[in-house]
Amino acid sequence: MHKKLFIPGPVEVREDVLKQMSRPMIGHRGKEASELQRRISDNLRKVFYTDSEILLSTTSGSGLMEGAIRSCTLKKAAVFSVGAFGNRWYDMALNNNVPADKFESTWGKALKAEEIDKTLATGKYDLIAITHNETSTGVMNPIEEIAEVIKKYPEVVFCVDTVSSAGGTKIEVDKLGIDICITSTQKALGLPPGLSICTFSEKAKERAEKVQFRGTYLDLLALYKYIQKKNYQYPSTPSISHMFALDYQLNYILNEEGLENRFKRHIDMAEIVREWAEEYFEVFPEKGCWSNTLTNIKNTRGIDVGALNKELGNRGLQISNGYGKLKDQTFRIAHMADCTVEDVKNLLENINDILSLK
Ligand SMILES: *Cc1c(COP(=O)(O)O)cnc(C)c1O
């Protein structure tokens, strides 16, 4: 039996979106391929509220995260981590010989704009990398406040991991002054895994031009230049199947559901799960920074999450345990992509039934 996924990626994908993945191939050097990529880019600019160029990469989100920190750090990167994915960004810097310092907060806490301000004021850094929605802890960082502070430092390239929030929450890239905003297909956008996406500002481009060793496959400047020179094509062979599905899904998001409705639906689902979590358990992160796309729940009743998931599986449903060191202390319910309020209510009713809650 197929299990409906309430895990924070990959997510449940609609049948009609899956069908797009099985369309016949087209050549990647023809006019049709250029038109496809151009249409995807134009529509993604709407999702990200930006005029910046859009880059695609046939990697999962981690690919463009690695590409960003390597392609655009000249002096030193400041990585602000509030969990596992922030830590991953720092490891990517180290493994690429990119100078970087890590500033790590306690898991469950949000970033503090003042700390970022203090750090950047030292003048030591020319790139900052933050996680918008930390999937390991369920924290959604206060991006507006943070962006206000970063605007004081025009020499700093501002990179944001929005892998588990873009497409589910409003992220106004140009208004926030984000230079590189990264996501992947298998989370709130509601597609299969295998493609990553980022915005790429003029400032990011100018920085990359000064960086000597940017790698090859994940060189963001190379991706950018190819788009300009070859009229929206990709330097190597892209995942054309993902592009068909993304093109189709962007049309659905923008013209059928509507962005504002989509964001509202995510908030509605989040509120239902939080209310349930507060009644029977506790929400793990500190108040005021709860994610709109997933809820991380403290296992205050000491339930056997594995056993719960097994029984949910018998009923065609799946949630997620805690991430890494939180494995047994928390469990996570994702409410993102094309999941509905009814789906979420049905899931919670099943959990109540299995655990005899009420
Ligand atoms: C899933 C996730 C990633 C990793 O993305 P991949 O597409 O799996 O490479 C990075 N950051 C966050 C916040 C995520 O949720």
Side-chain angles (χ1 to χ4, degrees):
M1 185 183 20
H2 171 66
K3 293 179 202 159
K4 192 172 239 185
L5 299 178
F6 293 86
I7 63 174
V11 296
E12 196 64 23
V13 180
R14 299 198 322 274
E15 279 292 330
D16 51 332
V17 175
L18 284 176
K19 256 200 203 134
Q20 294 294 317
M21 297 286 293
S22 62
R23 282 174 53 183
M25 286 304 108
I26 57 170
H28 67 298
R29 290 285 170 252
K31 190 163 161 248
E32 223 181 319
S34 289
E35 283 168 1
L36 177 64
Q37 186 165 338
R38 182 185 288 276
R39 197 165 52 240
I40 288 170
S41 299
D42 286 344
N43 282 334
L44 281 169
R45 272 189 272 275
K46 294 178 191 158
V47 171
F48 283 113
Y49 301 82
T50 186
D51 294 327
S52 278
E53 194 50 274
I54 300 288
L55 310 179
L56 303 178
S57 170
T58 305
T59 57
S60 69
S62 304
L64 285 176
M65 286 169 67
E66 183 160 353
I69 204 156
R70 176 164 181 168
S71 301
C72 296
T73 307
L74 196 57
K75 215 153 65 178
K76 199 171 206 186
V79 179
F80 279 83
S81 171
V82 295
F85 291 103
N87 289 348
R88 182 184 289 189
W89 222 342
Y90 177 66
D91 292 340
M92 286 168 173
L94 290 189
N95 294 333
N96 280 288
N97 203 26
V98 170
D101 286 331
K102 180 167 72 168
F103 303 89
E104 192 175 358
S105 315
T106 312
W107 285 33
K109 298 238 183 291
L111 283 178
K112 306 268 178 297
E114 315 86 75
E115 274 173 37
I116 292 177
D117 197 3
K118 261 200 307 209
T119 303
L120 296 184
T122 61
K124 281 179 11 194
Y125 306 97
D126 60 0
L127 182 143
I128 180 167
I130 70 162
T131 316
H132 176 228
N133 190 66
E134 180 49 77
T135 315
S136 62
T137 62
V139 164
M140 189 171 267
N141 278 311
I143 188 86
E144 283 87 7
E145 260 172 66
I146 292 166
E148 276 317 303
V149 160
I150 294 176
K151 279 178 189 160
K152 289 168 38 186
Y153 305 94
E155 72 284 6
V156 174
V157 171
F158 183 17
C159 301
V160 188
D161 166 357
T162 62
V163 171
S164 61
S165 49
T169 298
K170 188 181 260 185
I171 299 155
E172 296 179 273
V173 165
D174 286 0
K175 206 168 120 189
L176 296 166
I178 299 172
D179 294 298
I180 305 178
C181 188
I182 303 164
T183 195
S184 42
T185 44
Q186 80 280 12
K187 301 212 178 162
L189 287 171
L191 296 148
L195 194 72
S196 59
I197 296 160
C198 75
T199 68
F200 192 62
S201 73
E202 191 63 25
K203 183 161 123 191
K205 182 200 120 192
E206 284 165 12
R207 169 62 54 74
E209 279 167 344
K210 297 193 190 109
V211 176
Q212 189 181 3
F213 295 110
R214 300 182 302 269
T216 301
Y217 194 66
L218 297 173
D219 174 2
L220 268 46
L221 187 60
L223 289 171
Y224 175 86
K225 280 186 173 164
Y226 219 84
I227 289 171
Q228 313 304 314
K229 203 171 82 195
K230 298 280 183 182
N231 192 19
Y232 282 86
Q233 286 186 8
Y234 190 76
S236 52
T237 321
S239 175
I240 293 164
S241 304
H242 277 95
M243 290 169 74
F244 284 145
L246 177 58
D247 184 34
Y248 177 88
Q249 177 72 337
L250 286 169
N251 182 54
Y252 171 83
I253 290 172
L254 294 168
N255 304 319
E256 285 190 47
E257 180 169 31
L259 273 179
E260 293 294 340
N261 292 336
R262 191 172 179 86
F263 300 150
K264 169 76 166 49
R265 177 170 53 79
H266 279 79
I267 292 169
D268 291 345
M269 294 189 295
E271 283 175 350
I272 291 168
V273 177
R274 289 168 192 167
E275 199 176 307
W276 174 85
E278 289 276 87
E279 184 170 354
Y280 298 109
F281 297 89
E282 272 173 46
V283 177
F284 176 75
E286 62 179 340
K287 270 210 165 75
C289 61
W290 294 350
S291 165
N292 290 345
T293 55
L294 84 145
T295 301
N296 192 14
I297 300 157
K298 216 189 229 173
N299 186 7
T300 49
R301 291 175 174 249
I303 61 161
D304 182 340
V305 176
L308 168 64
N309 230 349
K310 192 155 177 245
E311 182 48 32
L312 283 171
N314 293 335
R315 302 173 181 211
L317 302 163
Q318 187 181 339
I319 60 168
S320 186
N321 52 17
Y323 191 101
K325 63 184 180 191
L326 296 177
K327 187 169 185 290
D328 299 312
Q329 296 169 41
T330 73
F331 58 97
R332 295 172 299 161
I333 297 177
H335 29 81
M336 61 171 87
D338 295 323
C339 176
T340 65
V341 163
E342 287 68 37
D343 292 333
V344 167
K345 284 184 178 162
N346 175 56
L347 172 74
L348 298 178
E349 276 163 23
N350 273 284
I351 297 178
N352 283 351
D353 186 45
I354 294 166
L355 299 176
S356 306
L357 298 175
K358 239 187 197 80

